[in-house]
Amino acid sequence: MSAHAAAPERAVRGSAREVFRVFLGLGLTSFGGPVAHLGYFRDMFVVRRRWLGEHAYADLVALCQFLPGPASSQVGMAIGLQRAGYAGLLAAWVAFTLPSALLLVAFAYGAGALGADAGTGWIQGLKAAAVAVVAHAVLGMARTLAADRERASIAVLGMIGAMLVPGAAGQVGVIVLGGLAGLAAVRPAAVVGAAVGEAGEGGGLSVPVRRRTGLVFLALFAALLAGLPLLAAATGDPALLLADSFYRAGALVFGGGHVVLPLLQAEVVDTGLVGREAFLAGYGAAQAVPGPLFTFAAYLGAVTQAPPTGIAGAVIALVAIFVPSALLVIGGVPFWSRLRTDPAARRALAGVNAAVVGLLAAALYDPVFTEGITSHTAMAIAAAAFVLLTAWRTPAWAVVIGAGAVGFAFL
């Protein structure tokens, strides 16, 4: 029997402890962002451990690219689900997420303890580095997700829409209109990416979730998305208000990674929960830690200006931003084999992804550039960081640490 055919049988005999141990190693060492994480996962689970075959892995990657949320974390959840059931999904998420979340919460406390007396040069350096990191992300995403005139136009219109209608309502509207524009205008050849094509050539995805169970989880996802804001408004409970903000960000972001920046900005900066300077300093620090960028939520929860804050705020924000991903992975798996071949769904997703490029471009201008470039020296740091990222292919974490050091010395 081939490794591909045998993988689903082996997957059900794994243990949550085994999944936790392997993913903890990845959570401690996986630098480089979502694309790099997918490469680490393939090497670990397809090549080395043979927990699943190439086609099964391609199916998981395609599914998680299609869903909103952090793609690499969702792939990890799906691998844990396939290997050891629901406990395996939880083990994979905790182990992959915990190291970077702890580091960012420690950074939040450390930055608060240092205070203004320690100087802000290193913070200015982190903010300048964030300009380079986001610009690099916009450029890379535009080359892939807005490569033709139709999708480039959707991206520019999305950027304009996000600037004209700031806040969460504008973000959601841009995403919805991007999907409709993609459905109407994107050519059939402009699909969601190579992984979908790879996945279409073979099956292999075998996760023990029935369609009825999948529908229950999808319904729970929708109920929380619609019900949390109503419940939070009715009760005025600050913990529910915080959970609602981060759940909505996790539920509506397509593309994962840096794309969560504008949604989180709308939820916490525009509402006054987190100051702009603290937001950008934390975003810069998030580039220097391993694991998923969505753990930036733990930092934001820890530094909110209204209770719950500290550890309690970090836990609420971190769990809330990842819950939509777990619900969508479990709910989407039983239906993916049919949906992935639907041309209309793929065109709509191409439009959504192009609109997301526009959202990130708008965030690059405000607040990232307007707050990060406050002097000639900051501009020089940002330019040097951008060259290191693009031309020299320096890891983002190394660039961020270097920018913080230069900022401490010269700003």
Side-chain angles (χ1 to χ4, degrees), residues 100-101 104 246 260-261 264 278-284 286 292-301 318 321:
S100 56
L104 288 173
F246 283 91
V260 78
L261 176 67
L264 286 178
F279 182 86
L280 290 173
Y283 183 74
L293 186 60
F294 270 48
T295 54
F296 179 39
Y299 166 86
L300 294 175
L318 185 66
I321 203 170

Side-chain angles (χ1 to χ4, degrees), residues 204-305:
L205 180 57
S206 178
V207 176
V209 180
R210 297 177 182 271
R211 289 194 173 190
R212 183 177 299 177
T213 305
L215 287 173
V216 170
F217 277 90
L218 292 176
L220 181 58
F221 164 82
L224 287 172
L225 184 60
L228 269 178
L230 298 177
L231 186 61
T235 63
D237 183 85
L240 281 176
L241 290 169
L242 186 65
D244 171 47
S245 295
F246 283 91
Y247 184 92
R248 186 163 49 249
L252 298 177
V253 58
F254 282 84
H258 301 282
V259 182
V260 78
L261 176 67
L263 287 175
L264 286 178
Q265 175 207 340
E267 295 293 345
V268 300
V269 177
D270 295 350
T271 59
L273 276 176
V274 176
R276 287 194 171 209
E277 182 169 299
F279 182 86
L280 290 173
Y283 183 74
Q287 314 304 317
V289 299
L293 186 60
F294 270 48
T295 54
F296 179 39
Y299 166 86
L300 294 175
V303 300
T304 53
Q305 298 177 8

Side-chain angles (χ1 to χ4, degrees), residues 98-122:
L98 193 59
S100 56
L102 291 176
L103 288 171
L104 288 173
V105 171
F107 175 78
Y109 275 94
L114 287 174
D117 293 338
T120 60
W122 61 279

